[in-house]
Amino acid sequence: MSRMVLDDLSDDELAELTALAEQHDVELMREGDRGEPVTIAILVGSALAIGAVMHEFERRKGGQVIDLRPDAPKPAYRDKDLQYGLVMIRSADGVVRVEVHEPKGMLGQVLDAINGIVGTLTGQEPDGLLQQLQNAVGDRATVTRDPRDQP
């Protein structure tokens, strides 16, 4: 049996995860202080089944937004309106799209690569931003300016 521990889940995420676990014959155990909201969810089942639950759970969260603008309400968040595997990076000069070629296996690696350089991206000119991102993600993703952001 394999286990996966998740924390910091919203009520909606916990409900979604519970339904997915039931569909894939994975046990979901909840831990938290008595009378407090659930603080930890533990998935128990085969590695394959847990992997299927986690992939579908992540896919349903949608794409990733990284907002580099100085007045950004949140610097990073998931957006269900964006396709899973798409990373939108908003800067003061526009929006850059990072389209992950194989999201199921590569999205985490691409996000780690972007997170590794995110501090150097603020204030970059658009062409420099594109080049720096493409260098970071390599052939795992394609980096372009958002077409709605073109002059």
mmCIF file of all heavy atoms in Angstrom, residues 131-148:
data_model
loop_
_atom_site.group_PDB
_atom_site.id
_atom_site.type_symbol
_atom_site.label_atom_id
_atom_site.label_comp_id
_atom_site.label_asym_id
_atom_site.label_seq_id
_atom_site.Cartn_x
_atom_site.Cartn_y
_atom_site.Cartn_z
ATOM 1 N N GLN A 131 13.123 34.763 -23.519
ATOM 2 C CA GLN A 131 14.355 33.988 -23.656
ATOM 3 C C GLN A 131 14.741 33.309 -22.343
ATOM 4 O O GLN A 131 15.112 32.144 -22.320
ATOM 5 C CB GLN A 131 15.507 34.885 -24.137
ATOM 6 C CG GLN A 131 16.759 34.109 -24.459
ATOM 7 C CD GLN A 131 16.542 33.093 -25.573
ATOM 8 O OE1 GLN A 131 16.014 33.423 -26.643
ATOM 9 N NE2 GLN A 131 16.904 31.856 -25.334
ATOM 10 N N GLN A 132 14.643 34.035 -21.251
ATOM 11 C CA GLN A 132 15.003 33.474 -19.957
ATOM 12 C C GLN A 132 14.083 32.312 -19.581
ATOM 13 O O GLN A 132 14.533 31.285 -19.075
ATOM 14 C CB GLN A 132 14.964 34.570 -18.883
ATOM 15 C CG GLN A 132 15.663 34.185 -17.618
ATOM 16 C CD GLN A 132 15.817 35.364 -16.671
ATOM 17 O OE1 GLN A 132 15.448 36.496 -16.984
ATOM 18 N NE2 GLN A 132 16.357 35.100 -15.509
ATOM 19 N N LEU A 133 12.793 32.457 -19.832
ATOM 20 C CA LEU A 133 11.853 31.375 -19.554
ATOM 21 C C LEU A 133 12.110 30.162 -20.445
ATOM 22 O O LEU A 133 12.110 29.028 -19.965
ATOM 23 C CB LEU A 133 10.410 31.856 -19.733
ATOM 24 C CG LEU A 133 9.866 32.710 -18.601
ATOM 25 C CD1 LEU A 133 8.600 33.430 -19.032
ATOM 26 C CD2 LEU A 133 9.599 31.855 -17.372
ATOM 27 N N GLN A 134 12.336 30.378 -21.732
ATOM 28 C CA GLN A 134 12.589 29.249 -22.628
ATOM 29 C C GLN A 134 13.854 28.516 -22.219
ATOM 30 O O GLN A 134 13.903 27.285 -22.231
ATOM 31 C CB GLN A 134 12.674 29.705 -24.084
ATOM 32 C CG GLN A 134 12.671 28.547 -25.072
ATOM 33 C CD GLN A 134 11.363 27.770 -25.071
ATOM 34 O OE1 GLN A 134 10.329 28.278 -25.454
ATOM 35 N NE2 GLN A 134 11.407 26.507 -24.648
ATOM 36 N N ASN A 135 14.882 29.249 -21.827
ATOM 37 C CA ASN A 135 16.113 28.605 -21.354
ATOM 38 C C ASN A 135 15.845 27.758 -20.113
ATOM 39 O O ASN A 135 16.408 26.674 -19.955
ATOM 40 C CB ASN A 135 17.194 29.639 -21.051
ATOM 41 C CG ASN A 135 17.741 30.291 -22.301
ATOM 42 O OD1 ASN A 135 17.562 29.799 -23.414
ATOM 43 N ND2 ASN A 135 18.391 31.422 -22.130
ATOM 44 N N ALA A 136 14.991 28.254 -19.230
ATOM 45 C CA ALA A 136 14.707 27.534 -17.983
ATOM 46 C C ALA A 136 13.896 26.265 -18.221
ATOM 47 O O ALA A 136 14.163 25.232 -17.608
ATOM 48 C CB ALA A 136 13.970 28.450 -16.997
ATOM 49 N N VAL A 137 12.916 26.316 -19.111
ATOM 50 C CA VAL A 137 12.044 25.162 -19.310
ATOM 51 C C VAL A 137 12.556 24.207 -20.378
ATOM 52 O O VAL A 137 12.107 23.060 -20.446
ATOM 53 C CB VAL A 137 10.582 25.579 -19.613
ATOM 54 C CG1 VAL A 137 10.023 26.419 -18.483
ATOM 55 C CG2 VAL A 137 10.459 26.298 -20.945
ATOM 56 N N GLY A 138 13.472 24.666 -21.212
ATOM 57 C CA GLY A 138 14.041 23.807 -22.241
ATOM 58 C C GLY A 138 12.992 23.306 -23.216
ATOM 59 O O GLY A 138 12.054 24.019 -23.563
ATOM 60 N N ASP A 139 13.138 22.036 -23.626
ATOM 61 C CA ASP A 139 12.216 21.482 -24.611
ATOM 62 C C ASP A 139 10.965 20.866 -23.973
ATOM 63 O O ASP A 139 10.158 20.254 -24.658
ATOM 64 C CB ASP A 139 12.917 20.459 -25.500
ATOM 65 C CG ASP A 139 13.460 19.269 -24.720
ATOM 66 O OD1 ASP A 139 13.325 19.226 -23.480
ATOM 67 O OD2 ASP A 139 14.025 18.365 -25.367
ATOM 68 N N ARG A 140 10.777 21.072 -22.693
ATOM 69 C CA ARG A 140 9.591 20.554 -21.996
ATOM 70 C C ARG A 140 8.357 21.418 -22.253
ATOM 71 O O ARG A 140 7.233 20.994 -21.986
ATOM 72 C CB ARG A 140 9.842 20.474 -20.488
ATOM 73 C CG ARG A 140 10.969 19.508 -20.126
ATOM 74 C CD ARG A 140 11.310 19.602 -18.682
ATOM 75 N NE ARG A 140 11.973 20.890 -18.447
ATOM 76 C CZ ARG A 140 12.661 21.187 -17.361
ATOM 77 N NH1 ARG A 140 12.754 20.321 -16.382
ATOM 78 N NH2 ARG A 140 13.232 22.357 -17.228
ATOM 79 N N ALA A 141 8.569 22.650 -22.751
ATOM 80 C CA ALA A 141 7.451 23.573 -22.960
ATOM 81 C C ALA A 141 7.820 24.588 -24.035
ATOM 82 O O ALA A 141 8.991 24.779 -24.355
ATOM 83 C CB ALA A 141 7.112 24.299 -21.656
ATOM 84 N N THR A 142 6.794 25.231 -24.567
ATOM 85 C CA THR A 142 6.980 26.297 -25.550
ATOM 86 C C THR A 142 6.575 27.614 -24.893
ATOM 87 O O THR A 142 5.515 27.700 -24.272
ATOM 88 C CB THR A 142 6.105 26.040 -26.786
ATOM 89 O OG1 THR A 142 6.455 24.772 -27.339
ATOM 90 C CG2 THR A 142 6.297 27.126 -27.825
ATOM 91 N N VAL A 143 7.405 28.624 -25.066
ATOM 92 C CA VAL A 143 7.164 29.932 -24.457
ATOM 93 C C VAL A 143 6.854 30.931 -25.566
ATOM 94 O O VAL A 143 7.623 31.064 -26.518
ATOM 95 C CB VAL A 143 8.402 30.396 -23.651
ATOM 96 C CG1 VAL A 143 8.158 31.764 -23.030
ATOM 97 C CG2 VAL A 143 8.771 29.369 -22.589
ATOM 98 N N THR A 144 5.708 31.616 -25.439
ATOM 99 C CA THR A 144 5.308 32.614 -26.434
ATOM 100 C C THR A 144 4.636 33.783 -25.730
ATOM 101 O O THR A 144 4.174 33.660 -24.597
ATOM 102 C CB THR A 144 4.297 32.033 -27.451
ATOM 103 O OG1 THR A 144 3.152 31.542 -26.751
ATOM 104 C CG2 THR A 144 4.918 30.921 -28.269
ATOM 105 N N ARG A 145 4.563 34.917 -26.418
ATOM 106 C CA ARG A 145 3.736 36.012 -25.935
ATOM 107 C C ARG A 145 2.297 35.645 -26.166
ATOM 108 O O ARG A 145 1.957 35.034 -27.174
ATOM 109 C CB ARG A 145 4.058 37.306 -26.671
ATOM 110 C CG ARG A 145 5.412 37.825 -26.239
ATOM 111 C CD ARG A 145 5.549 39.262 -26.284
ATOM 112 N NE ARG A 145 4.609 40.025 -25.487
ATOM 113 C CZ ARG A 145 4.803 41.271 -25.190
ATOM 114 N NH1 ARG A 145 5.881 41.882 -25.593
ATOM 115 N NH2 ARG A 145 3.930 41.941 -24.494
ATOM 116 N N ASP A 146 1.435 36.034 -25.252
ATOM 117 C CA ASP A 146 0.019 35.764 -25.422
ATOM 118 C C ASP A 146 -0.449 36.510 -26.672
ATOM 119 O O ASP A 146 -0.220 37.701 -26.800
ATOM 120 C CB ASP A 146 -0.748 36.245 -24.170
ATOM 121 C CG ASP A 146 -2.190 35.792 -24.189
ATOM 122 O OD1 ASP A 146 -2.887 36.077 -25.183
ATOM 123 O OD2 ASP A 146 -2.614 35.162 -23.219
ATOM 124 N N PRO A 147 -1.119 35.825 -27.608
ATOM 125 C CA PRO A 147 -1.543 36.484 -28.840
ATOM 126 C C PRO A 147 -2.462 37.672 -28.609
ATOM 127 O O PRO A 147 -2.482 38.607 -29.394
ATOM 128 C CB PRO A 147 -2.275 35.386 -29.625
ATOM 129 C CG PRO A 147 -2.353 34.205 -28.756
ATOM 130 C CD PRO A 147 -1.500 34.432 -27.552
ATOM 131 N N ARG A 148 -3.211 37.666 -27.526
ATOM 132 C CA ARG A 148 -4.091 38.805 -27.215
ATOM 133 C C ARG A 148 -3.282 39.998 -26.749
ATOM 134 O O ARG A 148 -3.806 41.091 -26.606
ATOM 135 C CB ARG A 148 -5.096 38.401 -26.137
ATOM 136 C CG ARG A 148 -6.038 37.304 -26.570
ATOM 137 C CD ARG A 148 -6.780 36.744 -25.424
ATOM 138 N NE ARG A 148 -5.811 36.042 -24.578
ATOM 139 C CZ ARG A 148 -6.137 35.263 -23.575
ATOM 140 N NH1 ARG A 148 -7.373 35.101 -23.230
ATOM 141 N NH2 ARG A 148 -5.211 34.649 -22.867
#
